Amino acid sequence: AQTVTQSQPEMSVQEAETVTLSCTYDTSESNYYLFWYKQPPSRQMILVIRQEAYKQQNATENRFSVNFQKAAKSFSLKISDSQLGDTAMYFCALLGGGSNYKLTFGKGTLLTVNP
Amino acid sequence: DSGVTQTPKHLITATGQRVTLRCSPRSGDLSVYWYQQSLDQGLQFLIHYYNGEERAKGNILERFSAQQFPDLHSELNLSSLELGDSALYFCASSVASLAGGWGQFFGPGTRLTVL
């Protein structure tokens, strides 16, 4: 079975500062994908960033970057220059390899950006 | 805007009733996924269709069923509704590749309230 664990239910950060959200996962597959999704108060699920397990280079999307540690099965999200609009629930998700195309989500981290 | 549309946005109904949720995937996407988000269960995968064929089932109750039509839109049917079925139901789609590694793109969701 695949699992995703987000150990920080809530976090807060001051505007313009940097924050890191943690995620660990477990899978027996060798080829898989990892994602971070953002869910603002509108409840829309927005894809923030993706990482392919077979790529060692950490993914970056503007102010968002990941620290992917495959051996440790860790996939953290760093948000730089935090903005008020970053306030949202953030979900880490795992897409298994083989014929398993479902996303397994963590329970989420509620991030609040304070002015 | 992800390009995935879902109707209706809100649905209020009574226990024992049947409802149908509709989803149109992004143009060109052949895969459609259904997820349920509730406070106690978090985000749970329900079912996956690819080009009209069921590919995987998750924690989907027998009272629930889905299908994907030749024009690729999908419907999720929920019957004999119970109070516990109240949740946000998301549809997501992904590009044609079965691997889905480019990510799943979510619709705005349908909020179902069972009274």
Side-chain angles (χ1 to χ4, degrees):
Chain A
Q2 299 180 328
T3 60
V4 177
T5 302
Q6 294 178 251
S7 58
Q8 305 152 313
E10 293 186 38
M11 295 188 72
S12 63
V13 65
Q14 293 300 120
E15 198 174 5
E17 293 187 347
T18 295
V19 63
T20 298
L21 280 58
S22 301
C23 171
T24 58
Y25 62 92
D26 192 23
T27 178
S28 58
E29 299 289 342
S30 58
N31 185 24
Y32 53 88
Y33 302 85
L34 293 158
F35 305 89
W36 280 96
Y37 281 86
K38 168 185 176 180
Q39 188 177 40
S42 67
R43 307 295 274 176
Q44 173 78 51
M45 291 289 288
I46 302 166
L47 177 60
V48 175
I49 199 166
R50 60 181 286 275
Q51 174 78 41
E52 300 168 34
Y54 59 88
K55 285 191 175 179
Q56 290 189 343
Q57 185 174 5
N58 289 323
T60 299
E61 289 287 342
N62 300 314
R63 298 183 295 107
F64 298 87
S65 62
V66 298
N67 183 5
F68 174 48
Q69 301 290 328
K70 190 171 184 178
K73 295 186 176 176
S74 170
F75 183 61
S76 61
L77 175 70
K78 185 172 82 171
I79 306 174
S80 304
D81 186 25
S82 296
Q83 300 176 0
L84 296 179
D86 295 333
T87 292
M89 184 72 85
Y90 286 82
F91 292 95
C92 179
L94 168 66
L95 183 71
S99 60
N100 181 1
Y101 309 124
K102 71 169 189 176
L103 283 170
T104 299
F105 287 90
K107 292 192 179 298
T109 295
L110 178 60
L111 176 67
T112 302
V113 180
N114 298 308
Chain B
D1 185 356
S2 66
V4 179
T5 60
Q6 287 187 249
T7 56
K9 286 188 177 180
H10 302 278
L11 201 48
I12 301 174
T13 188
T15 54
Q17 295 297 305
R18 172 190 170 95
V19 297
T20 297
L21 282 53
R22 182 187 169 101
C23 166
S24 292
R26 297 185 316 165
S27 177
D29 285 358
L30 299 181
S31 273
V32 169
Y33 309 80
W34 286 96
Y35 292 86
Q36 178 194 59
Q37 185 178 31
S38 61
L39 283 175
D40 53 345
Q41 297 290 329
L43 272 157
Q44 297 279 321
F45 166 74
L46 295 178
I47 198 163
H48 169 211
Y49 276 84
Y50 177 79
N51 202 20
E53 292 187 10
E54 181 186 303
R55 287 292 178 146
K57 269 187 173 180
N59 299 322
I60 187 167
L61 300 171
E62 287 191 9
R63 300 183 286 108
F64 296 0
S65 65
Q67 51 184 329
Q68 186 179 26
F69 295 87
D71 67 352
L72 301 178
H73 91 271
S74 177
E75 292 181 357
L76 179 67
N77 300 295
L78 315 177
S79 61
S80 302
L81 285 167
E82 302 175 358
L83 295 178
D85 297 328
S86 295
L88 188 55
Y89 290 85
F90 285 109
C91 167
S93 73
S94 66
V95 296
S97 166
L98 282 180
W102 290 104
Q104 295 177 14
F105 296 88
F106 283 70
T110 293
R111 178 166 293 285
L112 173 66
T113 302
V114 182
L115 301 174

